[in-house]
Amino acid sequence: MSSPSTTSTTAASPAAPANPRSRVILASLVGTTIEFYDFYVYATAAVLVFPILFFPTGNDTTSLLLSFSVFGAAMVARPLGAIVFGHFGDRFGRKATLVASLLTMGIATFLIGCLPTFNEIGVWAAVLLLILRLFQGFALGGEWSGAALVATENAPKGKRAWYGTFPQLGAPLGFIIANSVFLAINFLLPHPEGAGQRSADFLAWGWRVPFLFSAVMVIIGLWVRLRLVESGTFVKAEEKGAIRRFPLGTVIRHHWWHLILGTFIMLATYVLFYLMTNFTLSYGTKAADLEVASAAAQKAAEAAGTAFDPAAFAAQFYPGLGFGYTDFVLMQIIGVVFFGIFTLLSGPIADTIGRRRLLLWVTGIIIVFGLTFNLFLSPQLDPKFTGALTQAFLIFGFMLMGSTFGPMGAVLPELFPTNVRYSGSAISYNVSSILGAALAPIVAVALWAWADGSPWLVGLYLSAMGVLTFIALLLSPETKDVDYDADLGVGATGSL
């Protein structure tokens, strides 16, 4: 059943110019870089700013959990975005859908930078933050799959996994840009009481700059994406009558098993990703000493205009590693460089030995890695040795992150035919975000507190999620040799 609105595209397809490879790579890379930049800006603020300015409960742990809860709320909105953007992407094409997702994310991020705080409008500040965060999640629900499809549907034969790594590369690039902007602002602002993690000016207005800066990046991304033409694979699906009026119904009815597999294949990747970014930032910058932590919390409470109870703070205190914010983010950025390198390396390897075999090996190592958290992240007598172990942990964790995240740009789209590829890959990717990304920061903080400041339970949690992903990979097919041109989907007519 073909959509009547696709006639003009079909008619024009013979004359439509092919997307040059450089344009395909740039369009898939730039858009996801911007989207992940916006996401990381929020993630950093969720640790450094929002507990103080939007959730000043007087309890350090409660404020952080509330901040992470709003962060996780976006993951709940992502499957809805996947359904909506997937519907339009499978019915009317990838290009317009990608432009819409980018605009939605950019506008929401910019408006977060304009929000009044709790001291100005009370609880409504948190409500508005939650609403804009939901729009961020809604947009990201459609962004990743569209970018992955632009890359893989335009890839040369035998290089689909490699091309699929370029939208994935947006994750490490977005992280580096977002955190570099935060570092630059923190460095340029005065610190009258010494080089602390957050100056008064940073809390007053400096934190807004990275959110407002996203507008510039969105303009660049739109310019690149508006120059794309529709992929030949999608045009062939139109010509053969494979386009569905209701792609969601088709993918659930005919491809439900692959939806489940895709969701759990992505699970360990999500948990690892948010533990290496959000949790490690919280754990690494949390004071290792109660007296130091209490003094910092009292200053933060005074800056926010809230009461501070030393006894209550001491009762709920659990230690971290005690690194300064700047030092730890620089350590993370070093790790993320390896994230980017191994993301790119994973593509050619997956094209050579297969996606499934590579991911089985990497997931097995992730399971073992989760059992080493206490070894790497426990404070040592020598602070330099603590720093060396933590840096090694970050590098190795981000190497694993690149190795598992890179092939996903090919694996999830390859599980589904052309006429539901956007919907299927988007739903799997984003439902997994609820099970992994939405819960990971909250579960990690709770396990950290439960273990009295030790990270061993957090690592065990990662290992358990890795076991679920390993099982899903064992049950999944190898997709290396899937032919996009032949796999148009239910309803296709004629022969190619």
Side-chain angles (χ1 to χ4, degrees), residues 333-410:
I333 288 176
I334 291 171
V336 170
V337 170
F338 287 87
F339 179 8
I341 292 171
F342 277 77
T343 296
L344 285 177
L345 289 176
S346 68
I349 296 173
D351 279 327
T352 302
I353 70 172
R355 293 78 159 112
R356 182 172 175 270
R357 182 183 300 177
L358 172 62
L359 288 173
L360 280 169
W361 274 104
V362 175
T363 304
I365 299 173
I366 289 172
I367 294 170
V368 176
F369 177 67
L371 303 178
T372 68
F373 273 42
N374 230 33
L375 174 65
F376 283 104
L377 294 179
S378 294
Q380 307 296 318
L381 293 176
D382 184 355
K384 291 183 179 179
F385 189 41
T386 302
L389 283 176
T390 303
Q391 185 66 81
F393 173 85
L394 291 170
I395 289 174
F396 191 64
F398 278 117
M399 285 167 56
L400 289 174
M401 186 63 223
S403 301
T404 184
F405 189 57
M408 294 299 171

Side-chain angles (χ1 to χ4, degrees), residues 4 25 29 36 64 70 108 113 121-122 143 168 191 214 241 325 331 359 365 433 479 488:
I25 291 172
L29 174 61
F36 278 106
L64 186 60
V70 174
I121 61 171
E143 165 59 30
Q168 310 300 78
H191 293 74
S214 68
Y325 164 68
M331 293 168 68
L359 288 173
I365 299 173
S433 77
T479 58
L488 298 180

Side-chain angles (χ1 to χ4, degrees), residues 38-268:
D38 291 349
F39 226 61
Y40 290 137
V41 163
Y42 186 97
T44 302
V47 174
L48 298 177
V49 177
F50 295 152
I52 299 170
L53 298 183
F54 288 82
F55 306 101
T57 64
N59 183 304
D60 188 45
T61 302
T62 303
S63 294
L64 186 60
L65 283 172
L66 286 172
S67 181
F68 277 161
S69 295
V70 174
F71 178 80
M75 310 305 172
V76 179
R78 283 174 63 165
L80 179 60
I83 292 170
V84 173
F85 287 113
H87 172 83
F88 287 105
D90 282 329
R91 281 207 65 190
F92 306 114
R94 318 321 194 189
K95 175 182 172 179
T97 310
L98 279 171
V99 170
S101 69
L102 185 61
L103 271 175
T104 304
M105 173 66 96
I107 292 171
T109 304
F110 181 84
L111 291 177
I112 288 175
C114 302
L115 283 179
T117 64
F118 182 89
N119 278 352
E120 295 169 304
I121 61 171
V123 72
W124 285 106
V127 173
L128 291 174
L129 181 65
L130 173 61
I131 292 171
L132 292 175
R133 182 65 183 148
L134 290 172
F135 272 104
Q136 277 192 318
F138 180 79
L140 194 56
E143 165 59 30
W144 176 85
S145 296
L149 266 55
V150 164
T152 58
E153 289 185 345
N154 289 281
K157 186 176 181 180
K159 295 184 177 180
R160 199 159 56 216
W162 182 54
Y163 268 59
T165 62
F166 286 102
Q168 310 300 78
L169 194 59
L173 287 178
F175 181 93
I176 291 172
I177 296 171
N179 283 281
S180 295
V181 171
F182 267 110
L183 283 176
I185 293 168
N186 193 53
F187 175 77
L188 293 172
L189 291 177
H191 293 74
E193 299 180 6
Q197 295 181 21
R198 289 154 287 201
S199 68
D201 285 339
F202 181 78
L203 290 174
W205 60 268
W207 68 271
R208 299 180 184 274
V209 175
F211 290 94
L212 301 177
F213 178 68
S214 68
V216 177
M217 300 183 68
V218 168
I219 292 171
I220 296 171
L222 288 175
W223 177 78
V224 173
R225 286 191 167 175
L226 287 170
R227 299 177 68 215
L228 285 172
V229 295
E230 198 55 74
S231 72
T233 299
F234 181 81
V235 171
K236 286 179 182 178
E238 288 182 309
E239 292 171 345
K240 298 299 179 180
I243 302 303
R244 304 288 86 195
R245 289 189 182 276
F246 188 49
L248 176 63
T250 301
V251 77
I252 291 175
R253 185 165 61 253
H254 295 282
H255 307 284
W256 60 270
W257 178 238
H258 286 159
L259 284 175
I260 295 172
L261 287 177
T263 297
F264 282 93
I265 286 172
M266 190 68 200
L267 181 61

Side-chain angles (χ1 to χ4, degrees), residues 275-292:
L275 293 184
M276 295 305 300
T277 52
N278 281 52
F279 170 73
T280 57
L281 181 60
S282 299
Y283 181 72
T285 58
K286 182 79 176 284
D289 181 80
L290 173 59
E291 185 176 342
V292 174

